[in-house]
Amino acid sequence: MKQLNIKLLKDYKSYKKDSVFSICGDLVVISGINGCGKSQLLKIIANNDNVKIDRELQLINNKNCCLIKPNEILLFSFRDNIDIGSDFGHYTVSMQQINLNNAWNFYEQNIRFKENDYYNTHRIKAFNNKEFIYNPDGSKKSTWRSILQLCELLEENFKDDKKFKLNINEFEKLIPIDFIWRNENDIVQQVGNLFYIACCDRVDKQIKCSTSTKIFDNDNWLKTAPWTILNKLFEELGFKYRFKDDYLFNTPNMEENPKLRIGKEVRQINDLSDGEKAILKLALNSLDQEISKDVKLVLYDEYDAPLNPSLIEAFYKVINEFYIKKNIQVIITTHSPATISLAPTNTKFYELFAQENNPKLIEVNQFDYAELKEANKTFYDKLKNQKDRIFELEKLLKQKGNALLVEDEYNQIYKIAYLKLKGVDELTEDNLDEKFLENSNFTIEGSYSSGGLFNFLKCPNTTLDINCKRICLFDFDYEGYSKYEKLMSLKTNNRKLYLEQHGKLCTGLYIKHADCNRYAMMLPIPDRLKDFVSTSTSSDCFIEIETLLDSEYLKNNDKAKQRSPVLKFYKLKDNHKFDFWKDLLNADKSIFNDFQPLFKTIETIFKS
């Protein structure tokens, strides 16, 4: 596990001189409220500001300690993605000529000798100190990596003042065919450069094969081509866009520059969402070998701001594939519950607190976020499966008759229990729903969470219930009963949202909405458990639907297990929650006796 040690040698904004921070973990998430100093901390680490930040950075990796240089750190911010251009470039562009022209223009304006000796002395000093990679305000130029690469080429090939006196022809011979003039503020429009380098690499390999007895394997080469990597990434993340499967290349030109496509239709960058642009940019930075070759640390300053839940998961996939697997430490700052809750299990968490004398960074145990993680994951999983979510919501809106809404995928068990108690036999998987419609005056809908039922019960849109009565049935566990209690205490316009409580523990407690036909109900407590269960023990009992089934039946069914040595209740094993109902189709009526009070109360409500 990596450890980053930071020491500030001079005051910087809210951070004081001699402040020391230690951040451990391969993947780190730092959260905190606005203004606590998250962005300042990342700027200190990256030394990325208009003023020079005096600090020391030490990275410990597997007990090996090293100081980190500025070119070994990447800093990304959501602000970088506000305007990343409208296209990847133009058709039939000579990449080499554009890059050569950019390099020559810089060389001529900043390095090549002029007639005035005063300027030449200044240029030698600037070249030796690499001063021209900085802007007048002290910040790095967006092309600083290319400038350093150009300087290295000059130093390697010319040991005297000749490097300051090249003419255009000599300069062209110096620049290799795969040289790229990078603008790091415009990485998305550098896609053409990445593809161009790949095509150059293919030509180079083909030439080498032609001078030997080997045959160039184009299919194998395509597996690592940048467009193949990006297309595979798009497919894994569920993006609908693709690049072409291959690009023709006639030295020194590409036949065409990259274009995004849906089928054969060409799309612009602006067709992507802001979140998709952000994810694309991360992948491109990693694929650019010149940018990524020396990177040891990547920082994300609230980069997740434009990302919806599905893209947060994509964000982590890209980080893992393109950075963590390459042994690069990643630090993310955020105040998004989604980014915290969807973080992978190998994440280390910290919270940053603003203080008058100095911000304070404290490590957080990941289990402190367990409740947040579970709640968000449930919600985001529903959103991810859009087809099922649309069906569920539309089904709820279209219901005209009375309905019982239940937790999880247990609606089929309730239907079987109801029919068995009515004396309806010969039930099959195919006829269950049809027989229930024939023998009941209400429907049963499942797949709800306790949070989903709660939100529906307090929804202000009472017109949903004009044509029907709806009972939301909670399991008698801590989560279900706490939401039931909260409903009883809710007020609107200084009056209670739900009327007085009815029923008993053994028949099912219930309350009615003050303005519409919505009911909140708790699963009844079987007589055999009445000495063990009360509202004050709801956090221990976990009375779920299987608890109403005959305990001897569950005891002999390998799909169920006893909750604990102390609690004699039985529950279904997680991997059988969705198929257990099929076992009940031919079960005896007697194992459903404890459902009698429940359905009696439900029918009383529907008839009232």
Side-chain angles (χ1 to χ4, degrees):
M1 182 182 296
K2 300 174 187 65
Q3 177 177 317
L4 181 69
N5 297 323
I6 308 144
K7 182 177 181 180
L8 198 59
L9 305 178
K10 182 179 177 183
D11 286 357
Y12 176 73
K13 297 187 178 179
S14 61
Y15 289 82
K16 305 303 180 185
K17 179 184 176 183
D18 295 327
S19 297
V20 175
F21 300 94
S22 183
I23 302 174
C24 296
D26 299 330
L27 174 59
V28 177
V29 173
I30 301 174
S31 59
I33 62 173
N34 285 330
C36 68
K38 300 188 299 295
S39 295
Q40 292 177 24
L41 179 60
L42 294 195
K43 285 187 175 181
I44 290 171
I45 296 172
N47 199 356
N48 186 294
D49 202 358
N50 294 341
V51 298
K52 180 176 172 56
I53 304 174
D54 290 331
R55 88 285 187 270
E56 286 182 355
L57 284 187
Q58 184 187 63
L59 183 64
I60 301 174
N61 185 9
N62 294 328
K63 298 183 179 180
N64 295 322
C65 179
C66 65
L67 297 177
I68 303 182
K69 303 172 186 175
N71 65 319
E72 296 172 334
I73 303 172
L74 292 180
L75 173 62
F76 298 107
S77 169
F78 75 93
R79 302 171 189 86
D80 301 335
N81 301 315
I82 294 174
D83 182 13
I84 59 173
S86 60
D87 201 355
F88 293 108
H90 305 284
Y91 288 108
T92 60
V93 171
S94 172
M95 292 294 184
Q96 186 186 28
Q97 193 59 49
I98 290 175
N99 290 312
L100 183 61
N101 291 343
N102 288 331
W104 170 256
N105 289 336
F106 180 86
Y107 173 77
E108 190 173 37
Q109 293 171 17
N110 298 275
I111 300 175
R112 190 167 184 253
F113 277 178
K114 302 291 185 183
E115 293 180 3
N116 191 312
D117 288 338
Y118 170 79
Y119 287 113
N120 294 340
T121 302
H122 176 75
R123 290 191 170 202
I124 292 174
K125 178 176 175 292
F127 181 90
N128 292 332
N129 297 329
K130 306 301 183 285
E131 294 174 3
F132 34 55
I133 70 171
Y134 296 98
N135 293 310
D137 62 9
S139 61
K140 279 184 183 175
K141 292 180 179 177
S142 60
T143 56
W144 69 276
R145 291 182 195 274
S146 298
I147 295 171
L148 288 181
Q149 188 181 4
L150 174 60
C151 292
E152 289 173 2
L153 287 170
L154 291 167
E155 288 177 327
E156 288 172 3
N157 289 276
F158 304 101
K159 303 302 181 183
D160 50 24
D161 284 353
K162 175 64 177 176
K163 56 177 164 280
F164 298 101
K165 302 174 183 178
L166 303 181
N167 59 41
I168 184 65
N169 292 327
E170 292 170 326
F171 187 84
E172 287 182 357
K173 293 177 181 178
L174 173 73
I175 304 301
I177 191 172
D178 60 352
F179 180 86
I180 298 297
W181 192 257
R182 289 170 176 78
N183 183 341
E184 294 190 29
N185 293 339
D186 206 11
I187 186 64
V188 171
Q189 293 196 44
Q190 300 296 315
V191 174
N193 290 337
L194 298 178
F195 286 21
Y196 175 75
I197 292 173
C199 289
C200 290
D201 177 61
R202 172 160 54 183
V203 170
D204 183 55
K205 285 182 169 62
Q206 287 172 337
I207 292 172
K208 288 180 180 178
C209 282
S210 68
T211 59
S212 68
T213 58
K214 294 181 180 179
I215 299 175
F216 180 71
D217 188 346
N218 192 62
D219 289 338
N220 190 52
W221 178 88
L222 278 175
K223 291 177 182 178
T224 57
W227 51 85
T228 306
I229 295 173
L230 290 172
N231 283 341
K232 183 180 178 182
L233 176 67
F234 291 165
E235 183 178 0
E236 289 177 356
L237 301 182
F239 291 3
K240 56 189 174 182
Y241 304 98
R242 297 289 186 275
F243 289 105
K244 286 178 64 176
D245 292 332
D246 198 1
Y247 286 84
L248 298 177
F249 182 78
N250 292 316
T251 307
N253 299 330
M254 288 176 66
E255 291 287 315
E256 60 176 286
N257 260 6
K259 297 284 181 180
L260 283 174
R261 286 172 166 79
I262 297 180
K264 294 183 178 180
E265 185 179 352
V266 174
R267 294 300 182 91
Q268 306 299 317
I269 290 181
N270 287 338
D271 290 327
L272 285 90
S273 69
D274 289 343
E276 288 173 329
K277 292 176 186 175
I279 297 299
L280 175 62
K281 187 172 180 179
L282 294 188
L284 294 177
N285 271 288
S286 176
L287 288 175
D288 192 325
Q289 296 300 314
E290 187 59 34
I291 290 178
S292 63
K293 67 178 181 179
D294 299 319
V295 173
K296 294 178 180 175
L297 176 63
V298 179
L299 311 172
Y300 296 100
D301 183 12
E302 296 181 6
Y303 196 83
D304 55 333
L307 305 182
N308 64 37
S310 63
L311 287 178
I312 291 292
E313 293 191 321
F315 175 54
Y316 280 122
K317 283 183 180 179
V318 172
I319 286 174
N320 183 64
E321 187 67 29
F322 292 97
Y323 297 103
I324 301 298
K325 285 185 177 180
K326 295 180 179 180
N327 202 30
I328 297 170
Q329 186 182 34
V330 174
I331 299 175
I332 301 165
T333 63
T334 184
H335 44 70
S336 165
T339 302
I340 295 171
S341 62
L342 296 176
T345 54
N346 63 326
T347 307
K348 285 284 189 179
F349 296 96
Y350 289 81
E351 290 181 7
L352 189 63
F353 301 91
Q355 297 186 128
E356 289 186 9
N357 57 338
N358 211 11
K360 191 174 184 66
L361 186 69
I362 302 177
E363 185 174 358
V364 180
N365 190 307
Q366 61 176 312
F367 297 111
D368 285 353
Y369 298 129
E371 187 176 342
L372 176 71
K373 190 178 185 73
E374 183 178 351
N376 279 274
K377 190 74 168 68
T378 300
F379 175 66
Y380 297 140
D381 282 347
K382 283 187 176 182
L383 290 183
K384 189 192 303 183
N385 194 337
Q386 295 187 36
K387 185 177 179 181
D388 289 349
R389 183 62 173 162
I390 291 170
F391 176 77
E392 176 188 329
L393 294 175
E394 290 182 341
K395 177 180 66 177
L396 191 62
L397 291 172
K398 290 177 181 178
Q399 284 177 349
K400 300 301 180 184
N402 297 332
L404 174 66
L405 311 182
V406 300
E407 291 191 45
D408 298 318
E409 299 284 344
Y410 292 149
N411 48 312
Q412 301 296 66
I413 299 179
Y414 285 102
K415 291 176 184 178
I416 294 170
Y418 182 84
L419 292 173
K420 290 285 186 178
L421 292 173
K422 290 290 185 182
V424 181
D425 290 317
E426 298 182 359
L427 301 178
T428 67
E429 293 181 40
D430 296 328
N431 70 16
L432 176 61
D433 292 334
E434 182 181 350
K435 281 187 177 285
F436 185 80
L437 287 174
E438 291 174 0
N439 292 275
S440 69
N441 61 356
F442 63 97
T443 60
I444 300 179
E445 307 294 343
S447 303
Y448 295 98
S449 65
S450 60
L453 295 178
F454 175 78
N455 289 330
F456 170 70
L457 287 165
K458 68 183 183 72
C459 173
N461 185 3
T462 57
T463 59
L464 294 172
D465 310 285
I466 291 176
N467 300 311
C468 63
K469 292 179 181 177
R470 291 183 184 160
I471 301 173
C472 293
L473 185 61
F474 291 98
D475 291 340
F476 209 121
D477 54 19
Y478 173 75
E479 189 175 5
Y481 190 73
S482 64
K483 287 182 168 54
Y484 179 81
E485 274 190 315
K486 192 170 183 179
L487 287 168
M488 288 194 288
S489 65
L490 284 179
K491 290 186 177 181
T492 177
N493 298 326
N494 293 321
R495 66 187 179 95
K496 281 196 170 185
L497 189 62
Y498 278 84
L499 304 177
E500 68 274 6
Q501 182 171 269
H502 297 275
K504 301 177 182 178
L505 280 176
C506 61
T507 59
L509 302 172
Y510 69 91
I511 50 177
K512 180 186 179 299
H513 196 288
D515 300 315
C516 62
N517 292 316
R518 287 180 206 157
Y519 296 80
M521 185 177 179
M522 297 302 304
L523 269 178
I525 309 301
D527 283 341
R528 54 189 162 85
L529 300 174
K530 64 182 180 182
D531 294 333
F532 305 97
V533 180
S534 69
T535 55
S536 62
T537 62
S538 62
S539 61
D540 302 317
C541 295
F542 294 95
I543 303 299
E544 298 164 342
I545 183 173
E546 55 262 46
T547 317
L548 301 186
L549 295 166
D550 181 74
S551 57
E552 283 300 314
Y553 176 83
L554 290 176
K555 183 179 180 180
N556 296 313
N557 191 303
D558 60 4
K559 294 183 180 178
K561 63 181 180 180
Q562 189 170 297
R563 183 169 289 281
S564 72
V566 177
L567 298 172
K568 304 301 182 182
F569 316 132
Y570 284 85
K571 64 172 289 185
L572 296 179
K573 296 177 181 178
D574 289 342
N575 58 328
H576 290 300
K577 284 188 174 183
F578 304 118
D579 62 0
F580 175 75
W581 63 274
K582 298 175 184 178
D583 293 7
L584 301 174
L585 290 169
N586 297 313
D588 189 79
K589 172 183 176 179
S590 62
I591 75 165
F592 300 99
N593 285 337
D594 284 334
F595 282 84
Q596 287 277 18
L598 171 65
F599 288 123
K600 185 176 180 180
T601 302
I602 288 171
E603 289 183 325
T604 299
I605 293 173
F606 286 148
K607 289 177 181 177
S608 62

